Amino acid sequence: MKKNISIIGSGFSSLSAACYLAQDGYAVTVYEKNDTIGGRARQLKIEGFTFDMGPSWYWMPDVFERFFADFNKKTSDYYELIKLNPAYRVYYGVDNFINIADNLPEIAAVFENLEQGSGRKLVSFMEEAKRNYDIAIKDLVYRPGESIFELITPKTAARVGQFFSNISKDVRSEFKNPKLIQILEFPVLFLGAKPSDTPSFYSFMNYADFGLGTWHPKTGMHDVVQAMTTLAQSLGVVFQTSANIEKIVVDNNSAKALVINGKRIESDIIVSGADYHHTETLLDKEFRMYSEKYWDSRVFAPSSLLFFVGFDKKIESLSHHALFFDVDFDQHAADIYDSPKWPDNPLFYANFPSKTDATAAPEGMESAFFLIPLAPGINDTEALRSEYFEKIITRFEQVTGEDVRKNIIFKKSFCKNDFVSEYNSYKGNAYGMANTLLQTAFLRPKLKSKKVKNLYFTGQLTVPGPGVPPALISGKLVAQLIQKNSKR
């Protein structure tokens, strides 16, 4: 008889784990507290507009291909990918922006125009970044974080210094132009920490950016959720939505059941892709691996203030992705990590999916979302949300020269309080636990509970870390660990 596995949550890591475990012959059921599948990668459809509510950058396409190849499939079996050109635009002020092209030679030429000699330096920097990418993404991140010895290989030994230096130091030793420094430091923000706190080895994110390019599934990131759900169902996975997990039942130090909407559901094995901290609160105290003091001492990635906005006209001059670095980059980082507070002058990101996807907005209109990174645990009120929308929409109009405020016909905000209520996110963080030196690989929360037999974890607070590609990998790692332990 097949062993029954219950998976908590339906984000990317849960979907990945569900597919691998079903392929291994388990009877898998996924329980999602919200009414749609996808976790933070849910979709909002309203008044003719469609928004991805979570991830919007499709980087590391090779990781997605590797996932589907494990099931003898290709991404193209499920969705169409479009390579964006420009990949994104970075604004520094009025009529002052840089387009990041979809290929390295053009990007190097842009660098050279801004700083003599920087084009050649960029090519060299990217060669090193690619070497790190080949080591990290093709090997290290597919290890379960059980031991320091997973990191010790001849290739990593030759690069040991890169774990004790940092991205900021490396970039600033080669490049002096502040615009170029910001562009090169930007990708590691996806890892959830300041460039000065991110080991040099993580320059592989720069290769993910300039080397592999920025892509977009034809009708949005939710295409990936739908693809993985379809694959999972073809393997026999069952999905139940509006299923609020109230307790993990432990008997004789073994996970035995979930209490869902007041009903006990028996299970042989439980995997949580939900927030790790929240999952442990579903256990009686003696079965929790990590204390509140532990969680409070961790470096978490930022929370975010998001605005989903519909415009009643096309906005012709914009790119799909745009970064607004027209204020002090370092000060905003300090307002997140050093002295947490609402930034006086926030950096922000704007995404116009309807530039690529005609289904994202009614004909002749534009859909967009705006994102301001914020410190986790920050005070969140409707008044602050409104104040900050005014700040960024005013700057947006000034910097782009586009008069758009009067064309807003729909606006919805999502911030720290929503991350807590919708996703049980610790302190309302948006991206999980940062990948700092002391929160890398075996130093992250474990995939398997040491106190409760048959209880496992997956997702952005465990191995390998934050981001959609790591989430796919995390699901595979936990499935392999379950399969390994079941053979003992």
Side-chain angles (χ1 to χ4, degrees):
M1 186 176 178
K2 288 183 179 181
K3 279 192 175 181
N4 180 294
I5 295 184
S6 297
I7 298 181
I8 304 172
S10 66
F12 283 115
S13 61
S14 291
L15 292 173
S16 172
C19 290
Y20 284 111
L21 290 167
Q23 184 183 54
D24 287 339
Y26 295 97
V28 180
T29 303
V30 175
Y31 298 96
E32 167 59 51
K33 76 180 283 284
N34 293 306
D35 58 6
T36 57
I37 300 299
R40 299 179 192 217
R42 291 185 298 163
Q43 199 174 56
L44 173 65
K45 286 181 175 286
I46 191 164
E47 296 186 20
F49 296 94
T50 301
F51 305 92
D52 283 317
M53 296 187 70
S56 61
W57 294 78
Y58 192 104
W59 276 7
M60 304 184 187
D62 53 320
V63 175
F64 294 86
E65 291 294 349
R66 184 168 173 175
F67 168 79
F68 285 103
D70 284 341
F71 304 92
N72 296 314
K73 300 290 185 181
K74 303 185 295 291
T75 57
S76 58
D77 292 332
Y78 299 97
Y79 55 89
E80 179 184 341
L81 279 175
I82 299 167
K83 193 174 189 183
L84 300 181
N85 190 20
Y88 53 93
R89 177 177 292 176
V90 186
Y91 286 94
Y92 297 98
V94 178
D95 294 326
N96 184 0
F97 63 83
I98 293 174
N99 282 332
I100 301 300
D102 67 347
N103 63 89
L104 184 57
E106 285 189 49
I107 299 170
V110 168
F111 271 52
E112 188 66 28
N113 285 337
L114 287 171
E115 180 182 315
Q116 188 174 0
S118 66
R120 172 184 50 80
K121 289 180 179 179
L122 178 65
V123 172
S124 177
F125 184 85
M126 292 301 296
E127 288 171 351
E128 183 70 3
K130 183 181 186 303
R131 285 191 285 270
N132 286 344
Y133 188 91
D134 288 341
I135 294 169
I137 304 303
K138 296 180 180 178
D139 184 12
L140 292 185
V141 294
Y142 285 91
R143 301 184 182 192
E146 294 184 296
S147 164
I148 187 174
F149 296 106
E150 294 174 6
L151 292 179
I152 301 174
T153 70
K155 289 181 179 179
T156 57
R159 284 173 152 65
V160 66
Q162 294 197 20
F163 289 92
F164 296 97
S165 184
N166 63 69
I167 291 290
S168 184
K169 183 184 293 186
D170 291 355
V171 168
R172 290 162 193 259
S173 69
E174 296 293 334
F175 304 91
K176 306 306 176 187
N177 186 293
K179 294 179 181 178
L180 302 186
I181 290 171
Q182 289 180 356
I183 290 171
L184 288 171
E185 289 185 345
F186 148 70
V188 300
L189 297 179
F190 284 98
L191 301 172
K194 292 193 300 184
S196 58
D197 292 331
T198 303
S200 302
F201 186 70
Y202 285 99
S203 68
F204 64 73
M205 291 297 293
N206 293 104
Y207 178 71
D209 181 2
F210 290 175
L212 298 175
T214 301
W215 301 75
H216 186 70
K218 187 174 181 179
T219 57
M221 286 293 290
H222 199 69
D223 285 358
V224 187
V225 172
Q226 291 175 322
M228 296 179 73
T229 303
T230 300
L231 173 62
Q233 288 172 328
S234 74
L235 295 165
V237 176
V238 175
F239 290 89
Q240 292 192 19
T241 56
S242 302
N244 185 45
I245 312 297
E246 296 163 354
K247 188 175 180 62
I248 298 173
V249 179
V250 178
D251 183 25
N252 196 27
N253 294 326
S254 183
K256 292 294 186 182
L258 296 174
V259 177
I260 304 175
N261 299 333
K263 182 180 178 182
R264 178 175 169 133
I265 306 294
E266 302 295 327
S267 185
D268 297 310
I269 297 171
I270 293 171
V271 179
S272 179
D275 179 275
Y276 204 123
H277 168 270
H278 170 72
T279 303
E280 289 221 303
T281 68
L282 301 175
L283 295 162
D284 291 335
K285 225 169 196 179
E286 66 266 31
F287 299 123
R288 299 173 190 173
M289 285 196 297
Y290 303 102
S291 67
E292 290 298 321
K293 183 178 179 180
Y294 169 86
W295 290 112
D296 193 53
S297 70
R298 300 300 89 187
V299 178
F300 274 82
S303 185
S304 295
L305 171 56
L306 297 163
F307 294 101
F308 305 98
V309 184
F311 297 94
D312 67 1
K313 71 171 185 177
K314 301 300 290 184
I315 305 173
E316 299 298 338
S317 65
L318 299 178
S319 59
H320 184 116
H321 295 293
L323 304 171
F324 288 79
F325 289 172
D326 54 312
V327 297
D328 192 325
F329 187 102
D330 294 330
Q331 183 56 54
H332 190 155
D335 291 341
I336 294 173
Y337 296 104
D338 300 335
S339 302
K341 70 182 187 73
W342 282 80
D344 293 328
N345 295 300
L347 304 167
F348 67 96
Y349 156 60
N351 175 0
F352 284 80
S354 49
K355 288 290 174 190
T356 306
D357 171 16
T359 69
E363 187 174 354
M365 299 187 187
E366 210 83 84
S367 67
F369 80 76
F370 298 85
L371 182 152
I372 302 172
L374 298 172
I378 204 163
N379 185 38
D380 173 18
T381 67
E382 289 299 326
L384 282 166
R385 296 186 190 196
S386 297
E387 176 187 342
Y388 276 77
F389 185 75
E390 287 302 310
K391 282 178 182 278
I392 65 170
I393 203 67
T394 296
R395 277 186 26 226
F396 178 86
E397 290 188 319
Q398 291 171 346
V399 169
T400 65
E402 292 283 354
D403 183 13
V404 299
R405 190 190 306 264
K406 66 180 184 298
N407 299 101
I408 295 172
I409 58 173
F410 171 80
K411 175 167 70 75
K412 176 181 173 62
S413 66
F414 196 97
C415 196
K416 186 268 288 185
N417 291 347
D418 302 300
F419 280 102
V420 172
S421 64
E422 298 291 310
Y423 309 129
N424 297 311
S425 171
Y426 182 71
K427 293 186 178 181
N429 80 83
Y431 309 109
M433 187 183 289
N435 264 336
T436 61
L437 177 61
L438 297 179
Q439 295 181 175
T440 293
F442 69 99
L443 296 173
R444 297 181 71 80
K446 302 302 182 185
L447 290 166
K448 185 181 185 300
S449 173
K450 292 182 178 180
K451 292 190 174 184
V452 180
K453 186 180 178 183
N454 295 329
L455 176 61
Y456 296 82
F457 301 85
T458 185
Q460 58 188 3
L461 268 67
T462 182
V463 182
V468 178
L472 301 186
I473 296 167
S474 186
K476 180 174 185 175
L477 292 176
V478 77
Q480 289 176 331
L481 196 58
I482 290 169
Q483 187 75 338
K484 174 184 172 183
N485 290 336
S486 70
K487 292 178 180 178
R488 288 177 177 173

